[in-house]
Amino acid sequence: MSSTQRTAIVTGAARGIGAAIALRLAKDGYAVGVVDLHADKCADTVAAISEMGGRAVAVGADISKPDQAAAAVETIAAQLGGVGVLVNNAGITRDNLLFKMSDDDWDSVIEVHLRGSFLMTRAAQRHMVDAGWGRIINISSTSALGARGQVNYSAVKAGLQGFTKALAIELGKFGITANAVAPGFVVTEMTRASAERIGISFDEQVQRALTRIPLGRPGRPEDIANTVSFFASEDAAFVSGQVLYVAGGPRG
Ligand code: NAP
């Protein structure tokens, strides 16, 4: 089977990094299930894929809810045919210093990133095992190495790396690889919102980030999408359980 006969699911694909991944995988030939909280928010991503001659369906689902995650996978598998690639990208931040962090700030970040990725992967792996082929790609972060004001987010991004390695060990015998991409600072709504929360302009936020980026520019969603494309490809068939930092310089 080539990528043109396979289906990829990308969560959180209404905008930002997820939208860029969905577009890139469509360019690579995949039919794409575009998942986000609300189907109507996925319209731009689906339209962009259709304009380039690709196939995509929009599915609204809160991936942290078991019934919604399972239904999203089954709807996409039924409409596009199986599931070959799953990209666990959907995410939220609820940053705060530890002493000010609420129970809800902690729980909601754990639920979306860890529970959401677990639920989507459990539902999708069945299709991959049946086909004897699969690619699971989890979006981690440089925050996995620790970040001020992000004990919740750092914990889940490090957790996703362990999740990835355990998946690689369990699922390798079915022809399924699992890898993680750990972006550094990427210009999206998420980083814009975090500048707003800290009370600085986005330009200042970018300037601060640049002091830690040897390549001298912030990341673009396409930088992450290009890496995901490699992990999804046949060329990456013998690469599994790895974490690739895509941060304009060394990490990890
Ligand atoms: P973004 O622009 O905020 O996009 C995230 C998308 O995920 C949003 O459309 C959001 O919907 C959706 N989402 C949130 N909770 C969901 C849920 N329960 N079910 C389904 N969809 C949900 O973020 P981004 O910057 O593109 O980030 C994408 C991924 O990269 C995240 O995992 C993030 O942690 C990671 N990352 C980002 C950066 C960066 O610098 N931007 C760096 C490292 C890692 P709503 O808007 O409706 O909430």
Side-chain angles (χ1 to χ4, degrees), residues 11-19 35-38 41 61-65 88-94 111-113 139-143 153 157 160 181-191 221 224:
T11 66
R15 65 175 197 222
I17 293 171
V35 177
D36 211 289
L37 276 173
H38 304 287
K41 285 170 70 183
D62 178 344
I63 54 143
S64 69
K65 304 278 186 278
N88 287 309
N89 165 83
I92 60 168
T93 51
R94 295 287 182 272
E111 273 178 24
V112 175
H113 292 267
I139 306 301
S140 176
S141 165
T142 51
S143 294
Y153 188 76
K157 291 307 196 185
L160 280 172
V181 180
F185 184 91
V186 180
V187 176
T188 68
E189 289 302 315
M190 184 178 272
T191 38
I224 312 309

Side-chain angles (χ1 to χ4, degrees), residues 38-136:
H38 304 287
D40 54 346
K41 285 170 70 183
C42 302
D44 288 351
T45 307
V46 170
I49 290 172
S50 303
E51 271 164 33
M52 66 169 78
R55 279 203 307 152
V57 293
V59 174
D62 178 344
I63 54 143
S64 69
K65 304 278 186 278
D67 50 341
Q68 294 188 37
V73 169
E74 293 319 311
T75 302
I76 292 162
Q79 290 192 23
L80 297 178
V83 180
V85 177
L86 171 66
V87 185
N88 287 309
N89 165 83
I92 60 168
T93 51
R94 295 287 182 272
D95 297 354
N96 226 329
L97 292 174
L98 175 65
F99 76 103
K100 290 194 277 189
M101 187 171 286
S102 68
D103 294 0
D104 189 56
D105 290 337
W106 175 265
D107 290 343
S108 53
V109 168
I110 301 283
E111 273 178 24
V112 175
H113 292 267
L114 280 183
R115 187 175 162 83
S117 298
F118 157 66
L119 292 171
M120 289 297 294
T121 306
R122 190 179 58 183
Q125 57 82 31
R126 188 169 63 80
H127 297 279
M128 298 178 187
V129 169
D130 285 351
W133 191 96
R135 299 278 190 268
I136 298 161

